[in-house]
Amino acid sequence: MNRPPASHRIFTAGRATALTAAVFLTVAGCSVFGGTDSDSDTGTSGASGGTKVALITHSAEGDAFWDLVRRGAEVAAAKDGIALTYASDPDAAGQAQLVRKAIADKVDGIAVTLAKPQAMRGVVAEARAAGIPVVALNSGIDAWQAQGLLGFFGQDESVAGQALGNELDARDAEHAVCVIHERGNIAVEARCAGVRKTFGGQTENLYVDGTDMDAVTNAIAAKLRQDPTVDEVVTLGAQFALAAVDAVDDAGSGAGVATFDLNKDLVKAVKSGDIQFAVDQQPYLQGYLAVDGLWLYKTNGNISGGGVEPVLTGPAFVTKKNIAGIEKFAANGTR
């Protein structure tokens, strides 16, 4: 399965229309960054004219992880009467431009991922100068305070990586390959660094092209054929874990597969034993808390974490032992 590297879609509550902009979603009827209903194809229900919040991520098209983030944000927006706009671009410059469009649209709050924080520093400062409160989610736990954001909602990736490394030790693994699907993304790099910090065996990174799932499978399979001492493949996203399962089969390897992140397809793989376990950062919760946190700040002056501590959403381990309690939520598209 191939995945294009960038997102060029516009979403409404009911359908998606292809445009030459990055991904947009409007909830509760606000126009998309200053557009009109005719040129942005937005809905008109809900809190039109009320509080406007923009959620802007580094997601690439087709990544189901971000569907969970968006759904959590939508539920919070509906509860709070917020007009929510979702936009994404995996290119840091493109993501920064989306933030500038949100500033021009005079939104009341911005929630943003900081996968490449230096590229976002200038535009975050522009938002703050315009009097727009900004929170971070998912990526940027080491950068949000320095950039003056109100709060952070997500997982400490280093801590999560260390927890996974400890789990590999408990399973008597000896040689792990950590598959990095996006070079330069500080969050995914921190995961593998965390694994290396606590895992008693050998850890090495394998860089792959995360926009091409066939290439991911082939690269992992080639590594396993080249080095039969690898007994553990660690991936940093659910879809990459499923590709790793195929790679293990293709290579005739006995390596186990563990991963970060979860989706409904991965739930089946954990249940069947094809995947040993997943470290769930609860993306639905990240989207929900980021939007709700902005609403609480606007309506009651609340600052989650007091502005000095992140609000952690993980790591939560999902294994064959507890998968039954999570399966129904994954089927609903919320885990």
Side-chain angles (χ1 to χ4, degrees), residues 133-144:
V134 184
V135 299
L137 72 156
N138 180 261
S139 301
I141 195 168
D142 294 323
W144 66 274

Side-chain angles (χ1 to χ4, degrees), residues 22 56-58 88-101 116-121 123:
I56 301 169
T57 77
H58 62 280
S88 74
D89 195 318
D91 176 71
Q95 187 188 12
Q97 185 58 30
L98 291 173
V99 176
R100 288 191 177 93
K101 290 180 180 178
K116 296 175 181 175
Q118 288 305 314
M120 302 299 293
R121 178 181 293 274
V123 75

Side-chain angles (χ1 to χ4, degrees), residues 36-196:
T36 65
D37 283 349
S38 60
D39 63 22
S40 64
D41 192 31
T42 63
T44 57
S45 61
S48 180
T51 301
K52 297 192 297 183
V53 168
L55 170 59
I56 301 169
T57 77
H58 62 280
S59 169
E61 184 176 3
D63 191 335
F65 175 92
W66 296 100
D67 293 339
L68 300 177
V69 174
R70 191 174 71 237
R71 286 173 189 145
E74 290 173 8
V75 170
K79 176 183 74 71
D80 298 333
I82 285 174
L84 174 69
T85 300
Y86 175 86
S88 74
D89 195 318
D91 176 71
Q95 187 188 12
Q97 185 58 30
L98 291 173
V99 176
R100 288 191 177 93
K101 290 180 180 178
I103 296 169
D105 199 41
K106 295 181 171 48
V107 297
D108 299 294
I110 296 173
V112 66
T113 60
L114 301 177
K116 296 175 181 175
Q118 288 305 314
M120 302 299 293
R121 178 181 293 274
V123 75
V124 165
E126 291 174 28
R128 293 177 55 216
I132 300 173
V134 184
V135 299
L137 72 156
N138 180 261
S139 301
I141 195 168
D142 294 323
W144 66 274
Q145 272 190 294
Q147 294 193 20
L149 276 65
L150 286 177
F152 176 86
F153 304 91
Q155 177 174 261
D156 186 322
E157 303 294 6
S158 178
V159 170
Q162 292 174 52
L164 191 147
N166 288 331
E167 183 64 23
L168 294 185
D169 280 336
R171 293 172 182 263
D172 297 321
E174 296 182 355
H175 185 179
V177 169
C178 196
V179 182
I180 296 180
H181 59 270
E182 185 181 352
R183 189 182 292 269
N185 182 327
I186 61 170
V188 296
E189 297 275 1
R191 290 177 175 182
C192 290
V195 173
R196 185 177 293 105

Side-chain angles (χ1 to χ4, degrees), residues 215-299:
V216 172
T217 301
N218 292 337
I220 297 172
K223 177 60 181 177
L224 294 173
R225 292 190 193 99
Q226 175 193 355
D227 190 348
T229 68
V230 174
D231 59 1
E232 196 73 41
V233 178
V234 176
T235 62
L236 309 180
Q239 68 271 43
F240 306 111
L242 297 172
V245 171
D246 291 338
V248 168
D249 290 342
D250 291 348
S253 171
V257 178
T259 191
F260 293 83
D261 300 338
L262 189 70
N263 64 24
K264 62 182 179 181
D265 293 325
L266 194 77
V267 165
K268 298 174 185 176
V270 172
K271 192 174 182 180
S272 69
D274 289 337
I275 304 291
Q276 294 168 308
F277 62 89
V279 179
D280 183 18
Q281 62 177 302
Q282 303 186 100
Y284 177 95
L285 187 60
Q286 292 175 6
Y288 185 98
L289 292 177
V291 171
D292 202 44
L294 285 167
W295 177 78
L296 286 167
Y297 177 75
K298 178 177 174 61
T299 60

Side-chain angles (χ1 to χ4, degrees), residues 27 92 109 207 227 234 302 314:
V27 176
Y207 289 88
D227 190 348
V234 176
N302 297 122

